[in-house]
Amino acid sequence: MVVADISGRDIFFYKGKKQLWSKKLDNQIINLDVSDDGYCTVVTQSKEFKSAVQVIDINGLETYTKLCAQDIVVSAKSIHDGNDVFINKLTTDSVKTGTILEFNNIYDEKPFASLNITDTIIPLVFEQGDNVVAVGQNMILYLDKQGKEVWKKNAESIFCVAPEIEKYIVVAGKFSNEGKFPGSRLLF
């Protein structure tokens, strides 16, 4: 478990009732995620850049840092047993706002996959096995381990998602009249 002071700088990492480590970061925390295998991924503000992503392992050692100069990082998470980092960025380089979903290996400087989604903000991202599910206000994306799109489902609007149900993605939303459930409100 991780306890963090959002907009503050302090992180406290626990296993059971025992505190394993704590850190005071140089910059304010925007968002934080902890993986099942104990990797803590922190999105912070940055003095020189728009935001930064840091991955800290279960022992409190920093294993990865990425500075983002052009886009604002919304969330990030360590995936694939700590070998890769998934970064969800908000892009404002055009007239309309969009999202960039980035797959990074902790040993490489550049991402090994990147997906630019215009006109949509993706606030929710979670793992399903080795794959990544990204949900925005009007779309669901299912991405494989290499960052390639497996499938995409568009909706008029998405109301809520029940994340991390073992083999399913449960979404409440308003979908078009396609498939065998015309006008359905729930997708399984």
Side-chain angles (χ1 to χ4, degrees), residues 92-97 119:
T92 56
D93 62 351
S94 65
V95 176
K96 295 186 178 183
T97 303
D119 301 336

Side-chain angles (χ1 to χ4, degrees), residues 23-161:
K23 284 193 180 291
K24 186 166 194 80
L25 302 177
D26 294 333
N27 297 301
Q28 288 183 320
I29 298 167
I30 296 171
N31 203 336
L32 184 134
D33 181 81
V34 64
S35 68
D36 290 341
D37 30 349
Y39 289 92
C40 180
T41 308
V42 186
V43 178
T44 63
Q45 293 179 349
S46 174
K47 291 176 183 157
E48 301 85 23
F49 301 94
K50 287 196 177 176
S51 49
V53 176
Q54 295 175 300
V55 177
I56 304 166
D57 73 8
I58 197 165
N59 299 311
L61 301 173
E62 197 173 303
T63 61
Y64 176 83
T65 299
K66 180 166 188 160
L67 301 171
C68 300
Q70 297 173 350
D71 303 308
I72 300 165
V73 177
V74 175
S75 63
K77 59 178 29 251
S78 177
I79 57 175
H80 309 141
D81 299 322
N83 293 315
D84 298 325
V85 179
F86 180 82
I87 299 176
N88 177 6
K89 300 192 288 186
L90 184 65
T91 181
T92 56
D93 62 351
S94 65
V95 176
K96 295 186 178 183
T97 303
T99 299
I100 297 175
L101 303 176
E102 222 179 64
F103 288 79
N104 298 270
N105 184 277
I106 63 169
Y107 301 109
D108 295 329
E109 189 174 317
K110 294 185 178 187
F112 64 85
S114 184
L115 186 61
N116 192 350
I117 304 157
T118 57
D119 301 336
T120 299
I121 296 172
I122 307 282
L124 180 62
V125 177
F126 58 93
E127 286 182 275
Q128 192 169 51
D130 282 340
N131 301 316
V132 172
V133 179
V135 182
Q137 72 258 21
N138 59 3
M139 104 173 33
I140 306 162
L141 282 169
Y142 193 79
L143 307 167
D144 69 10
K145 187 175 182 172
Q146 288 76 35
K148 293 186 176 42
E149 183 181 310
V150 176
W151 57 262
K152 176 169 118 178
K153 178 74 175 169
N154 290 316
E156 290 178 36
S157 61
I158 294 176
F159 309 127
C160 69
V161 179

